[in-house]
Amino acid sequence: MGTGPDPSWMFDFTGTVLPIFLAVVVGIIAVSAGRGLLQWSRNNNAPLQSIPARIVSKRSEVRQQHAQDESSRTSTTYYLTYEAEDGVRREFKVDGQEYGMSAEGDRGVLTYQGTRYHGFQRRPHYSTAE
């Protein structure tokens, strides 16, 4: 009879390994979607808060994506970290214009709802130097 490799391993792969792999992938996607929906629900149920705060940090994250046709695309995500008067720090994703108009040390009123950023109203500060 056959002296070659046993062909039954292929049936084990498609009958056992592949379904398990697909179940794991679907499970990961379901958990990710569930987390997103849970966070969205928590944000909707959280009270809208406006608190005195100051900007303590700015950071940006640049991502570069390469396409198959040798082109690439970059995207930048901007973050500002605010510190409340009680010392609690919160970081929020902001748009590029907000990021550009902000400086560390700016003081004002931070408005947010859960992890959702609603804005920062700067308090004007005047220099005493003439």
Side-chain angles (χ1 to χ4, degrees):
M1 295 231 34
T3 58
D6 183 13
S8 66
W9 72 270
M10 201 52 161
F11 294 109
D12 289 339
F13 177 77
T14 57
T16 307
V17 177
L18 190 60
I20 291 172
F21 176 75
L22 290 175
V24 168
V25 168
V26 168
I28 290 170
I29 291 171
V31 167
S32 295
R35 280 184 177 168
L37 285 171
L38 185 61
Q39 187 63 53
W40 178 80
S41 176
R42 282 183 186 155
N43 282 339
N44 286 344
N45 292 329
L48 185 64
Q49 296 187 333
S50 294
I51 61 169
R54 69 183 177 98
I55 297 174
V56 293
S57 176
K58 294 173 66 170
R59 75 179 178 94
S60 61
E61 186 176 284
V62 178
R63 291 189 178 163
Q64 189 168 19
Q65 299 170 347
H66 297 283
Q68 291 178 350
D69 62 355
E70 298 292 324
S71 66
S72 66
R73 195 180 109 190
T74 60
S75 65
T76 306
T77 307
Y78 301 99
Y79 299 92
L80 293 174
T81 302
Y82 297 90
E83 184 176 76
E85 291 179 335
D86 62 2
V88 175
R89 291 184 176 198
R90 294 170 179 85
E91 182 179 67
F92 295 99
K93 184 168 40 170
V94 298
D95 64 28
Q97 183 176 0
E98 177 92 14
Y99 182 85
M101 297 291 289
S102 301
E104 289 182 18
D106 282 355
R107 294 182 179 275
V109 177
L110 169 66
T111 303
Y112 66 97
Q113 184 178 22
T115 61
R116 198 177 290 151
Y117 178 76
H118 283 276
F120 182 68
Q121 184 67 44
R122 274 167 209 72
R123 260 191 270 143
H125 50 76
Y126 302 98
S127 173
T128 55
E130 293 183 359

